[in-house]
Amino acid sequence: MSTPDPVLPTVPSDYELVQPAGSVKLPALYASAGARAASSAASDAAAAATHKVLPALRDSPVGRVLPGALRKPRTERVGAALQVPRVAHVVEDVSAEPEWHEKFCRVVHASTHPVAPGSQHTTVFSGALHALAFPVAMSVLTRKDFPLPVLGMVHLSNTIRHVTDVAVGERLTATAWTENLGTHRSGTTVDAVVTLSREGGSVVWAGRSTYLAKGVHTAIADEGARVPEESSHERAPFDPPQQTAQWVLGAGTGRDYAAVSGDYNPIHLSDPSAKALGMKGAIAHGMYTASRALALTGVPAEVPFAWSVDFAVPVQLPTTVAVSVDDDGRGAHWRGSRVLVWDPKRQRPHAEVTVTAL
């Protein structure tokens, strides 16, 4: 289970603060990532084809006219060690506009409340703040010097600190960077960190998302060769709790969330687009599941809190999932909540959300 950061994350001292060179709109960022993925796939296919054909060419009359560099087999080279770009992207004047926030809350079934009793200003739902900040994180993940393929990356976990309420329409500055490249039995992991701050630099919200690039096994700069994870990292057998609710999720769930979050990752949109990226079919956004689970908890208004989510088996669409909500106290006596989401037919967990008061 993920635990919230004990302190707010800060940009590493050796990182340069820069403004993104291009658009920070998710559709454009995904299009850019898709173009690079297509180019990489074409290059890989060409290299693989050349690797297969060259031995035959060397043994044929054509071998005599091959360039010298191609006449003899070359020793395979180990790829360069991975390293994240030492930059943080800064975008000013981001805000949750009223119409967008209302639509977002409707999709994830979240209720709203005023920033203070009697106030006419509405508090931005914490899941919506993630959606607001996510494009800035994606602008880092889709940089040309970011070492991992973005399309198809698996969302493993999130830890978020909701330091203070933010009003709908309030202008904030988003700062995003990546760090903590790590090894995993299925590939390579990386953290994407985003903070939202008010004028003067006070952080009101901070999130850390951990992603897995499946199949990317290589050395990591300053960490040496990849070491497989130990079996101790395996998940314990799942023992489902008492079910308190269920969600019926249609085939269009991913498209509905994409429309309000801007996250048009193809693995969430349809079976064909998901299968093109190696998935069995379309799956729900991890942050749709997390936001909808958070909306069920009893976090009181005006209370700072931390929340984390661990993702297990993806939610294959369409489906019906079981949900269990366990609140430790209500109202002024609330201390925390735990929400579990699982597949009731196969008895497999989808996600666990833990919320605690700061």
Side-chain angles (χ1 to χ4, degrees):
M1 180 175 64
S2 297
T3 54
D5 296 331
V7 295
L8 291 173
T10 57
V11 179
S13 59
D14 61 336
Y15 279 40
E16 179 185 5
L17 299 178
V18 300
Q19 292 185 333
S23 171
V24 290
K25 300 294 185 182
L26 285 177
L29 293 171
Y30 275 120
S32 174
R36 279 202 292 277
S39 175
S40 175
S43 298
D44 290 346
T50 301
H51 185 75
K52 291 180 180 178
V53 170
L54 271 178
L57 290 179
R58 292 189 187 107
D59 295 335
S60 74
V62 177
R64 299 176 182 176
V65 296
L66 282 174
L70 300 180
R71 290 178 188 174
K72 295 181 180 181
R74 293 187 299 174
T75 302
E76 293 296 332
R77 296 180 180 178
V78 177
L82 300 183
Q83 188 172 1
V84 296
R86 294 293 198 262
V87 297
H89 284 188
V90 180
V91 177
E92 299 177 339
D93 291 330
V94 298
S95 65
E97 297 307 316
E99 184 178 357
W100 171 81
H101 184 252
E102 182 181 344
K103 290 179 179 178
F104 184 94
C105 290
R106 187 161 55 245
V107 167
V108 300
H109 299 248
S111 58
T112 60
H113 60 81
V115 294
S119 173
Q120 295 182 344
H121 299 287
T122 300
T123 293
V124 182
F125 176 59
S126 196
L129 288 174
H130 175 274
L132 188 67
F134 182 61
V136 187
M138 272 294 291
S139 73
V140 180
L141 294 171
T142 54
R143 285 174 58 96
K144 292 181 179 179
D145 55 355
F146 183 72
L148 301 174
V150 174
L151 295 183
M153 280 204 309
V154 178
H155 198 170
L156 296 182
S157 64
N158 266 78
T159 60
I160 290 170
R161 291 176 70 85
H162 189 107
V163 181
T164 187
D165 284 343
V166 174
V168 169
E170 183 176 354
R171 301 290 169 177
L172 303 170
T173 295
T175 304
W177 66 95
T178 54
E179 60 185 17
N180 296 343
L181 278 173
T183 58
H184 188 281
R185 64 183 178 277
S186 298
T188 300
T189 59
V190 67
D191 287 352
V193 186
V194 190
T195 63
L196 295 173
S197 58
R198 291 190 169 114
E199 185 176 358
S202 62
V203 174
V204 297
W205 185 97
R208 179 183 299 274
S209 301
T210 300
Y211 297 99
L212 167 66
K214 298 182 70 174
V216 180
H217 295 296
T218 188
I220 295 172
D222 302 323
E223 293 189 23
R226 178 181 65 88
V227 178
E229 285 192 336
E230 299 296 331
S231 59
S232 60
H233 289 265
E234 298 292 336
R235 292 182 180 272
F238 179 65
D239 183 18
Q242 180 67 41
Q243 180 177 334
T244 60
Q246 71 174 21
W247 303 339
V248 178
L249 307 178
T253 298
R255 294 188 292 274
D256 291 342
Y257 185 76
V260 294
S261 68
D263 186 354
Y264 285 91
N265 189 325
I267 65 176
H268 304 301
L269 304 182
S270 68
D271 284 347
S273 62
K275 289 177 180 178
L277 290 172
M279 308 297 289
K280 294 180 180 179
I283 60 174
H285 293 75
M287 290 310 293
Y288 167 83
T289 304
S291 293
R292 189 161 176 182
L294 178 66
L296 293 175
T297 64
V299 182
E302 302 180 69
V303 171
F305 61 95
W307 59 289
S308 63
V309 54
D310 281 311
F311 299 106
V313 179
V315 178
Q316 206 79 35
L317 298 172
T319 191
T320 297
V321 299
V323 182
S324 172
V325 183
D326 181 14
D327 286 322
D328 182 4
R330 300 291 294 185
H333 301 289
W334 177 84
R335 289 176 295 276
S337 300
R338 180 171 178 255
V339 184
L340 287 173
V341 182
W342 72 95
D343 180 339
K345 291 183 178 179
R346 296 177 176 84
Q347 298 294 290
R348 298 189 301 176
H350 291 307
E352 177 180 0
V353 174
T354 304
V355 193
T356 57
L358 289 175

